[in-house]
Amino acid sequence: MLTRTSIRRLLAAAALSGLLSAPSLAAEPPITIGLFAHLSGNFAEYGASFKNAVELYLDKLNAEGGINGRPVKLVVEDDRNSPQEAATVARKIVATPGVVLAIGSWSTTASLAAAPIFTEAKIPQISPTSSHPDFSKQSPYQFRQNNTDDVLAQYNADTIHKQLKATRIVIPYSQDDWGLFTVKATAEALEKDGAQVLLREAVMPGSKDFRPLVSKIKSLRPDGVFLALPYQEASIFIQQLRQAGVNIPAGGGVPLTSPKFIELAGKAAEGVVVHSIFFAGDPSKKAFVDAYRSKYNKTPDQFAALAYDAAGVGVAAIRRVLASGKPLTGQAVRDELANGPAYEGVTGVTKYENGNVRKAPTFLVIRDGQFQLNQ
């Protein structure tokens, strides 16, 4: 019988003879992707959708063997929807060995704050949702998955003017980079289409008392309101508007496609029309929707779908780099993102032009506590 000592001697002899070689048996290092979004605070639901979707995509990918046998590792950071924190977590991500792609953030403000760090490190940054045109103008390393605000402004106008037939409109908007651009561009699109914007009212983040604004709206007698607000403020506003007996049609932008808006607004959300580039009820999205529901026990929203596609586009670019035989670097992945073929995802076709995409809208109405096609 072999003793432990004799076994150790045999292993040592085999290693010396070249029969065992540690370097040849070592697995290749994982491919690392960074993800940052606000995972805490008032808008944490948006960040949770990002994280859930990217993890869903990468879990499936790794279960199937990764990319060329190499697992993909995800580094997740919470930027708290703060530009200062976004810059801090961007530095942490670029300092992580092997990172070749970053996905994030949710808001344009946070994404812009992180952009210079990724640019300097030559690591491509895909924001699933940053819509301000300035984001993709920062450098050749910034990409987005959704439409820019100038495109979305026309969809906003179509939502309230064409879908809801309103012609005298008021717009409460978020006092931030996104809201400032959105209200200006949406008002211009409405007026160009023949509608009249009676009021543009800034809303500070975290606002809860909209009674003075509601009184102002009542005095103007509009026939429609467009909510350029995140779900938190929008849900409180629409409740107070309905409680005051103002039952005019209401439309909303991309932020209100989150189920969290329906949850918080309750019955006051009924009848609100939004535009989206993802609808969970579309039969062609069934595989993604079923997988998401199975893992998280909830229906994916547009933000989850956009993040899922960001992961898919990034992985496709990484595959092409490896197939080319080039060293896998952030620069090489950026070049494949910029010059690669169109990618068919759950939010439509992604084909970057100067970091931007263009995707057609679907109009949805909140009916019986859920999003349905507005027909």
Side-chain angles (χ1 to χ4, degrees):
M1 179 180 289
L2 291 173
T3 66
R4 290 183 179 179
T5 300
S6 58
I7 290 173
R8 285 197 294 269
R9 286 172 178 169
L10 286 171
L11 289 173
L16 288 171
S17 66
L19 294 175
L20 289 178
S21 173
S24 65
L25 294 178
E28 288 194 75
I31 297 165
T32 306
I33 295 174
L35 169 68
F36 67 110
H38 49 297
L39 301 171
S40 58
N42 288 343
F43 308 135
E45 190 74 13
Y46 295 135
S49 290
F50 275 21
K51 182 174 180 288
N52 288 348
V54 174
E55 288 182 342
L56 177 69
Y57 186 95
L58 295 183
D59 285 351
K60 181 176 184 293
L61 177 72
N62 286 328
E64 294 171 347
I67 305 176
N68 291 6
R70 294 174 64 178
V72 179
K73 176 185 174 183
L74 185 67
V75 176
V76 180
E77 297 288 347
D78 180 7
D79 67 25
R80 303 176 189 174
N81 200 30
S82 158
Q84 294 80 11
E85 194 67 23
T88 298
V89 300
R91 293 187 189 97
K92 290 176 68 175
I93 289 171
V94 301
T96 303
V99 170
V100 295
L101 171 69
I103 298 174
S105 182
W106 180 79
S107 73
T108 294
T109 303
S111 297
L112 284 171
I117 290 95
F118 293 117
T119 300
E120 183 178 0
K122 296 185 177 180
I123 292 174
Q125 173 190 4
I126 304 175
S127 172
T129 51
S130 293
S131 52
H132 196 293
D134 284 354
F135 170 67
S136 53
K137 296 176 182 178
Q138 298 306 296
S139 84
Y141 294 88
Q142 276 68 51
F143 300 84
R144 74 176 87 238
Q145 278 307 107
N146 65 331
N147 295 298
T148 55
D149 279 328
D150 47 354
V151 174
L152 292 173
Q154 187 59 57
Y155 298 165
N156 293 344
D158 291 346
T159 298
I160 190 67
H161 185 44
K162 295 181 180 177
Q163 296 290 311
L164 290 169
K165 311 301 181 186
T167 58
R168 290 165 45 82
I169 299 157
V170 293
I171 308 176
Y173 66 94
S174 183
Q175 183 67 44
D176 56 23
D177 291 336
W178 170 78
L180 290 166
F181 187 93
T182 294
V183 69
K184 179 178 182 295
T186 300
E188 289 174 354
L190 283 166
E191 290 164 353
K192 182 180 178 182
D193 288 349
Q196 184 180 4
V197 178
L198 305 179
L199 175 69
R200 311 178 196 185
E201 185 84 5
V203 172
M204 294 299 296
S207 295
K208 295 181 179 179
D209 183 3
F210 294 96
R211 288 172 296 181
L213 174 56
V214 169
S215 296
K216 193 182 295 186
I217 290 172
K218 287 184 73 171
S219 69
L220 291 171
R221 295 175 174 258
D223 58 10
V225 55
F226 184 82
L227 310 177
L229 299 168
Y231 64 70
Q232 185 99 357
E233 289 83 2
S235 61
I236 300 171
F237 169 80
I238 196 70
Q239 286 177 330
Q240 294 181 10
L241 187 73
R242 297 312 189 213
Q243 289 165 2
V246 182
N247 295 312
I248 56 176
V254 170
L256 302 197
T257 60
S258 170
K260 196 71 174 179
F261 171 64
I262 301 176
E263 177 188 331
L264 294 176
K267 291 183 179 179
E270 288 290 304
V272 173
V273 173
V274 298
H275 59 82
S276 178
I277 52 177
F278 172 77
F279 175 47
D282 184 340
S284 68
K285 321 299 182 190
K286 187 175 187 304
F288 165 62
V289 172
D290 286 352
Y292 194 96
R293 284 174 173 163
S294 176
K295 187 174 180 65
Y296 302 112
N297 197 31
K298 61 172 64 174
T299 300
D301 56 18
Q302 178 173 210
F303 308 102
L306 286 164
Y308 190 82
D309 279 355
V313 170
V315 165
I318 292 169
R319 284 190 192 279
R320 292 195 298 272
V321 173
L322 293 177
S324 73
K326 298 176 183 177
L328 182 59
T329 63
Q331 180 66 52
V333 174
R334 188 227 77 90
D335 294 344
E336 285 296 336
L337 287 171
N339 304 310
Y343 176 87
E344 182 70 46
V346 294
T347 61
V349 175
T350 296
K351 175 60 178 172
Y352 293 120
E353 183 175 344
N354 297 322
N356 299 323
V357 296
R358 182 150 189 160
K359 300 176 181 179
T362 296
F363 293 97
L364 307 174
V365 62
I366 298 171
R367 187 180 295 126
D368 298 327
Q370 59 184 343
F371 291 110
Q372 300 181 22
L373 291 174
N374 188 40
Q375 298 173 328

